[in-house]
PDB file of all heavy atoms in Angstrom:
ATOM      1  N   VAL A  59      -9.031  -8.538   9.720  1.00 83.00           N
ATOM      2  CA  VAL A  59      -9.230  -8.816  11.139  1.00 83.00           C
ATOM      3  C   VAL A  59      -7.899  -9.129  11.817  1.00 83.00           C
ATOM      4  O   VAL A  59      -7.555  -8.546  12.848  1.00 83.00           O
ATOM      5  CB  VAL A  59     -10.241  -9.965  11.337  1.00 83.00           C
ATOM      6  CG1 VAL A  59     -10.358 -10.343  12.800  1.00 83.00           C
ATOM      7  CG2 VAL A  59     -11.592  -9.569  10.760  1.00 83.00           C
ATOM      8  N   SER A  60      -7.109 -10.020  11.238  1.00 85.00           N
ATOM      9  CA  SER A  60      -5.841 -10.367  11.872  1.00 85.00           C
ATOM     10  C   SER A  60      -4.796  -9.268  11.684  1.00 85.00           C
ATOM     11  O   SER A  60      -3.989  -9.014  12.572  1.00 85.00           O
ATOM     12  CB  SER A  60      -5.315 -11.709  11.358  1.00 85.00           C
ATOM     13  OG  SER A  60      -5.107 -11.664   9.971  1.00 85.00           O
ATOM     14  N   PHE A  61      -4.807  -8.570  10.551  1.00 88.00           N
ATOM     15  CA  PHE A  61      -3.813  -7.524  10.321  1.00 88.00           C
ATOM     16  C   PHE A  61      -3.968  -6.377  11.313  1.00 88.00           C
ATOM     17  O   PHE A  61      -2.976  -5.810  11.770  1.00 88.00           O
ATOM     18  CB  PHE A  61      -3.888  -6.984   8.885  1.00 88.00           C
ATOM     19  CG  PHE A  61      -2.847  -5.932   8.614  1.00 88.00           C
ATOM     20  CD1 PHE A  61      -1.521  -6.288   8.447  1.00 88.00           C
ATOM     21  CD2 PHE A  61      -3.193  -4.592   8.566  1.00 88.00           C
ATOM     22  CE1 PHE A  61      -0.548  -5.324   8.229  1.00 88.00           C
ATOM     23  CE2 PHE A  61      -2.229  -3.624   8.344  1.00 88.00           C
ATOM     24  CZ  PHE A  61      -0.908  -3.990   8.172  1.00 88.00           C
ATOM     25  N   ALA A  62      -5.182  -6.035  11.652  1.00 85.00           N
ATOM     26  CA  ALA A  62      -5.430  -4.912  12.558  1.00 85.00           C
ATOM     27  C   ALA A  62      -4.742  -5.083  13.906  1.00 85.00           C
ATOM     28  O   ALA A  62      -4.462  -4.103  14.594  1.00 85.00           O
ATOM     29  CB  ALA A  62      -6.931  -4.730  12.755  1.00 85.00           C
ATOM     30  N   LYS A  63      -4.429  -6.315  14.270  1.00 87.00           N
ATOM     31  CA  LYS A  63      -3.829  -6.598  15.578  1.00 87.00           C
ATOM     32  C   LYS A  63      -2.316  -6.789  15.517  1.00 87.00           C
ATOM     33  O   LYS A  63      -1.705  -7.175  16.500  1.00 87.00           O
ATOM     34  CB  LYS A  63      -4.472  -7.857  16.158  1.00 87.00           C
ATOM     35  CG  LYS A  63      -5.970  -7.740  16.324  1.00 87.00           C
ATOM     36  CD  LYS A  63      -6.596  -9.064  16.663  1.00 87.00           C
ATOM     37  CE  LYS A  63      -8.110  -8.939  16.591  1.00 87.00           C
ATOM     38  NZ  LYS A  63      -8.767 -10.228  16.607  1.00 87.00           N
ATOM     39  N   THR A  64      -1.701  -6.513  14.371  1.00 89.00           N
ATOM     40  CA  THR A  64      -0.275  -6.769  14.205  1.00 89.00           C
ATOM     41  C   THR A  64       0.567  -5.532  14.545  1.00 89.00           C
ATOM     42  O   THR A  64       0.084  -4.401  14.480  1.00 89.00           O
ATOM     43  CB  THR A  64       0.052  -7.171  12.756  1.00 89.00           C
ATOM     44  OG1 THR A  64      -0.234  -6.061  11.891  1.00 89.00           O
ATOM     45  CG2 THR A  64      -0.731  -8.416  12.330  1.00 89.00           C
ATOM     46  N   PRO A  65       1.846  -5.769  14.870  1.00 91.00           N
ATOM     47  CA  PRO A  65       2.752  -4.631  15.081  1.00 91.00           C
ATOM     48  C   PRO A  65       2.877  -3.744  13.834  1.00 91.00           C
ATOM     49  O   PRO A  65       3.050  -2.535  13.949  1.00 91.00           O
ATOM     50  CB  PRO A  65       4.093  -5.299  15.413  1.00 91.00           C
ATOM     51  CG  PRO A  65       3.737  -6.646  15.942  1.00 91.00           C
ATOM     52  CD  PRO A  65       2.488  -7.044  15.214  1.00 91.00           C
ATOM     53  N   MET A  66       2.784  -4.356  12.653  1.00 92.00           N
ATOM     54  CA  MET A  66       2.869  -3.577  11.416  1.00 92.00           C
ATOM     55  C   MET A  66       1.724  -2.583  11.342  1.00 92.00           C
ATOM     56  O   MET A  66       1.935  -1.402  11.011  1.00 92.00           O
ATOM     57  CB  MET A  66       2.856  -4.508  10.206  1.00 92.00           C
ATOM     58  CG  MET A  66       2.911  -3.791   8.880  1.00 92.00           C
ATOM     59  SD  MET A  66       4.517  -3.069   8.558  1.00 92.00           S
ATOM     60  CE  MET A  66       4.613  -3.255   6.807  1.00 92.00           C
ATOM     61  N   ALA A  67       0.504  -3.009  11.622  1.00 92.00           N
ATOM     62  CA  ALA A  67      -0.648  -2.100  11.587  1.00 92.00           C
ATOM     63  C   ALA A  67      -0.471  -0.977  12.604  1.00 92.00           C
ATOM     64  O   ALA A  67      -0.747   0.196  12.307  1.00 92.00           O
ATOM     65  CB  ALA A  67      -1.936  -2.860  11.850  1.00 92.00           C
ATOM     66  N   GLU A  68       0.023  -1.315  13.774  1.00 92.00           N
ATOM     67  CA  GLU A  68       0.262  -0.302  14.797  1.00 92.00           C
ATOM     68  C   GLU A  68       1.332   0.695  14.352  1.00 92.00           C
ATOM     69  O   GLU A  68       1.194   1.897  14.542  1.00 92.00           O
ATOM     70  CB  GLU A  68       0.671  -0.961  16.112  1.00 92.00           C
ATOM     71  CG  GLU A  68      -0.442  -1.742  16.766  1.00 92.00           C
ATOM     72  CD  GLU A  68       0.028  -2.521  17.991  1.00 92.00           C
ATOM     73  OE1 GLU A  68       1.121  -2.224  18.520  1.00 92.00           O
ATOM     74  OE2 GLU A  68      -0.699  -3.430  18.414  1.00 92.00           O
ATOM     75  N   ALA A  69       2.401   0.185  13.741  1.00 91.00           N
ATOM     76  CA  ALA A  69       3.483   1.058  13.274  1.00 91.00           C
ATOM     77  C   ALA A  69       3.002   1.991  12.178  1.00 91.00           C
ATOM     78  O   ALA A  69       3.359   3.177  12.154  1.00 91.00           O
ATOM     79  CB  ALA A  69       4.669   0.216  12.786  1.00 91.00           C
ATOM     80  N   LEU A  70       2.193   1.476  11.254  1.00 93.00           N
ATOM     81  CA  LEU A  70       1.672   2.317  10.177  1.00 93.00           C
ATOM     82  C   LEU A  70       0.792   3.424  10.737  1.00 93.00           C
ATOM     83  O   LEU A  70       0.867   4.575  10.298  1.00 93.00           O
ATOM     84  CB  LEU A  70       0.910   1.477   9.159  1.00 93.00           C
ATOM     85  CG  LEU A  70       1.745   0.471   8.372  1.00 93.00           C
ATOM     86  CD1 LEU A  70       0.849  -0.377   7.474  1.00 93.00           C
ATOM     87  CD2 LEU A  70       2.829   1.166   7.565  1.00 93.00           C
TER      88      LEU A  70
END
Side-chain angles (χ1 to χ4, degrees):
V59 175
S60 60
F61 182 74
K63 301 170 189 167
T64 65
M66 179 72 146
E68 291 173 17
L70 294 175

